[in-house]
Amino acid sequence: MRRPARVRGWCPGAWRPMATGDGLLVRVRPDLGRLTRAQGLALCDAAEAWGSGLIELTRRANLQLRGVSEAGWPALMAELVEQALVSADAEAERTPARLLAPDWRDGDDTHRAGRLLHDACVDNLTAWPMLPDKWGLALDAGPAPVLGEAPADLRLERSRKGGLLVRADGRDLGTPVDDIEAAVTLMTRLARWFLESGGADAGRMHRITTPLPDWAAATTAPAASGSPLRLGAHPFGWVVGLPFGRVPASTLRAALADDQVTGIRVTPWRRLLLEGRRGNINDGQPADGLIQDEDDPRLAMDVCPGAPHCAQASVATLDLARALSERRGDHPAGRVHVSGCAKGCARGAPAEVCLVGRDGRYDLMLGGRADDTPVATGLDASDAIEYLETRDASRL
Ligand code: SF4
């Protein structure tokens, strides 16, 4: 197998892993947002054999392994292809990411769209144009859209009256379509229109301000948003949270050990749905490393790996995030984002409190994103903790 084509940009895959501060980062995009139990167990083994032993869940519902060596990458890839976690065709991962609302059922509109787009994107690589790396589709055709905060460029949603629509990201209204086949055709046309409208330079659909073409007139509002999956019992199984989007492979393996579990569905909310699981993970299983309490303050935090895991980071993020979460119980402060640098990989939207590494210290933004203007700069970890305890930025 050839050497990895190392990527220094911001959307690595498995065939194009990213060189990070602790080795290669290898990202897996599970087809239909689901792994079988066997695939989940194989990923746990792979994380321990070739990676750091941790598995990360991204805000695009991808799974990634860190700490992979260049020498180990070919064997890891052979295993991932063998387990059908990665396509044998490297070009397949250049097709748009397809994020499915995780509670799809066999044969429903979200599932059918996922299958049709898989066929169009992966089995017929020429059917879709070559789009910017981060381009993605949200397939969200349940009664109420739930993926509105997840990154995507085109969204399949349902209108207030229950019809299907395709909505270009950044627009309030969508284009009604008669059925899933028409939705997939419209998505393909809009992807080509995006490129013709300067999309290669703009990168993302929401940055294109040109009015949509007449054949895609956006006239219809989507239904009101629904909520992310709640932790605990679900009609399909049991939902668990991953602290800061990470789980040790050994912990996930223990959660899958129960043979009533049939698979894993990934979500963009740092939560996994364990299909078939009935009952709390603590029932005879170790639960360290999984969140099962909806009030856990870590659920309100978005944290990137930071130093030393990411070469772009000048500060550690995870230790600070843990310290903040231990003190947050009495001082709720809304959403907290801790980022190793201004890229803000863990969260694109504003957060009530945002701490961003710069030159070995932290900048503080209030109600902003990682690349916004700080209200305080040059903080150390204890300053940041003090702020969250007092909510008084003037003391910094
Ligand atoms: S935001 Fe975090 S993960 Fe992203 S590049 Fe910066 S330090 Fe790395």
Side-chain angles (χ1 to χ4, degrees), residues 373-391:
T373 304
V375 296
T377 59
L379 310 181
D380 62 20
S382 58
D383 294 330
I385 291 168
E386 179 177 347
Y387 169 71
L388 275 211
E389 288 182 341
T390 62
R391 305 298 311 274

Side-chain angles (χ1 to χ4, degrees), residues 10 304-306 310 312-313 339-341 343-345:
W10 298 108
C304 83
C310 177
Q312 274 65 42
S339 185
C341 79
K343 283 277 183 188
C345 296

